């Protein structure tokens, strides 16, 4: 057996072996300056959570729409069948404003102004346009439920509301109507991004948000009392905006399959759901995952391919390269917990395993 102190000798064949080149590349990769990965604080984990910032944006959009239209609402005129145009425009305006703010905040949180402008504009148009159609459908649903309430409840004096089981039916009717009316508020972003899954998430979020917002409207009106429903509308519409945004974000979390968590970079703590196939990572605002403020990242730096539930990253022949767990890769399968490095940005890959 040779001594451990015996010097290692390389022959000509070893010197020109591809294994030597691979070893040298790996050594250079390990010796390069790597981005420092620090634990993300609870504050930033909440702020960058889509359910949080979408809920805030949805509530703000709904409140602004209410504050614009409320001065034109006359409850007495509505009871007399007048002021119908304002009543007809209320839901489309609220839905359009919610859609505008949801699209706007998503782009802002990604520091992508181009995306923010596009999603906001489409969200406003889709919310208002489809809101007109959904308002008619919601009105028919609510009118039928009011007929049922009138049939099962005692005859009431003007200004009095139903009680007992009739009140519960009224709540259910308004909840069903608002669930339909809430759909346009949630789907604008998906339509703007041309992503079917994002659209479906928004649709479900809009339905759930509208349903809960509608169910809360009449109890709120009962608590604040009075014939004037100003406060009830303010709280009710703001709640529907908050809930639409909240559920759009929650549905995204419930249905996501693969995502990237930024561990080091300007948006450390934010999650990016992998929707498209392939998903483009780069410094261009047109990239699916926009990585800004990093000179080492190319406009189209790397691609993530969905291979039937398995995800693979591919470097786009970039000068600075793409690294997985510190090693340079050209194309490699990703596993949960893998650290993907592009320039000074570190992304952790996460995958929900199929049951």
């Amino acid at each position: 057996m040779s001594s451990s102190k015996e010097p290692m000798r390389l022959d000509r064949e070893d010197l020109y072996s591809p294994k030597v080149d691979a070893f040298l590349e790996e050594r250079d990769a390990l010796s390069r300056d790597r981005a420092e990965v620090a634990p993300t604080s609870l504050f930033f984990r909440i702020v960058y959570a889509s359910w949080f910032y979408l809920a805030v944006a949805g509530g703000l959009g709904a409140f602004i729409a209410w504050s614009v239209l409320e001065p034109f609402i006359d409850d007495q005129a509505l009871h007399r069948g007048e002021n119908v145009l304002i009543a007809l425009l209320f839901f489309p305006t609220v839905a359009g404003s919610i859609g505008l703010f949801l699209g706007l905040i998503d782009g802002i949180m990604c520091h992508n102004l181009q995306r923010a402008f596009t999603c906001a504009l489409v969200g406003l148009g889709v919310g208002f346009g489809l809101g007109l159609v959904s308002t008619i459908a919601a009105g028919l649903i609510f009118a039928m439920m009011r007929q049922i309430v009138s049939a099962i409840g005692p005859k009431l004096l003007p200004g009095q509301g139903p009680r007992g089981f009739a009140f519960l039916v009224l709540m259910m009717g308004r909840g069903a109507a608002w669930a339909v009316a809430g759909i346009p508020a949630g789907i604008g972003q998906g339509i703007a991004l041309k992503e079917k899954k994002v659209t479906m998430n928004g649709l479900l979020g809009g339905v759930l948000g509208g349903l809960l917002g509608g169910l809360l409207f009449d109890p709120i009106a009962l608590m604040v009392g009075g014939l004037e429903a100003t406060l009830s509308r303010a709280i009710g519409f703001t709640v529907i905006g908050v809930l639409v945004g909240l559920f759009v974000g929650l549905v995204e979390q419930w249905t996501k399959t693969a995502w990237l968590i930024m561990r080091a970079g300007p948006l450390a703590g934010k999650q990016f759901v992998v929707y498209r196939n392939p998903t483009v990572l780069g410094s261009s605002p047109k990239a699916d995952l926009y990585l800004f403020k990093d000179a080492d990242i190319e406009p189209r730096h790397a691609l993530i391919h969905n291979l039937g539930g398995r995800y693979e990253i591919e470097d786009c022949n970039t000068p600075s390269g793409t690294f997985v767990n510190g090693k340079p890769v050209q194309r490699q399968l990703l596993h949960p917990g893998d650290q993907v490095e592009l320039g000074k940005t570190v992304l952790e890959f996460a995958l929900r395993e199929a049951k």
Side-chain angles (χ1 to χ4, degrees), residues 6 11 14 27 45 59 68 93 122 176 188 198 224 235 238 334:
E6 183 179 339
D11 56 26
D14 291 331
R27 187 190 67 180
R45 288 203 302 271
V68 169
T93 303
V122 174
V198 179
V224 300
I235 297 175
T238 301
L334 291 172

Side-chain angles (χ1 to χ4, degrees), residues 271-292:
Q271 292 185 13
F272 300 88
V273 179
V274 177
Y275 285 119
R276 291 188 175 175
N277 188 25
T279 295
V280 180
L281 285 67
S283 59
S284 168
K286 295 182 179 180
D288 300 312
L289 204 167
Y290 176 38
L291 302 172
F292 53 95

Side-chain angles (χ1 to χ4, degrees), residues 190-238:
I191 293 175
L193 297 176
K194 300 178 181 178
E195 280 297 319
K196 182 178 179 181
K197 190 170 183 179
V198 179
T199 304
M200 294 304 297
N201 289 349
L203 187 150
L204 183 55
V207 168
L208 293 174
L211 175 63
L212 290 182
L215 289 173
L216 290 172
F217 183 90
D218 290 294
I220 292 170
L222 188 62
M223 286 187 293
V224 300
L227 290 176
E228 291 289 334
T230 298
L231 182 58
S232 181
R233 275 192 295 269
I235 297 175
F237 283 121
T238 301

Side-chain angles (χ1 to χ4, degrees), residues 91-97 99 122-132 134 181 184-188:
F91 258 114
T93 303
V94 170
S97 186
V122 174
L124 174 62
V126 170
F128 187 84
L130 293 184
L132 287 171
S134 67
I187 63 177

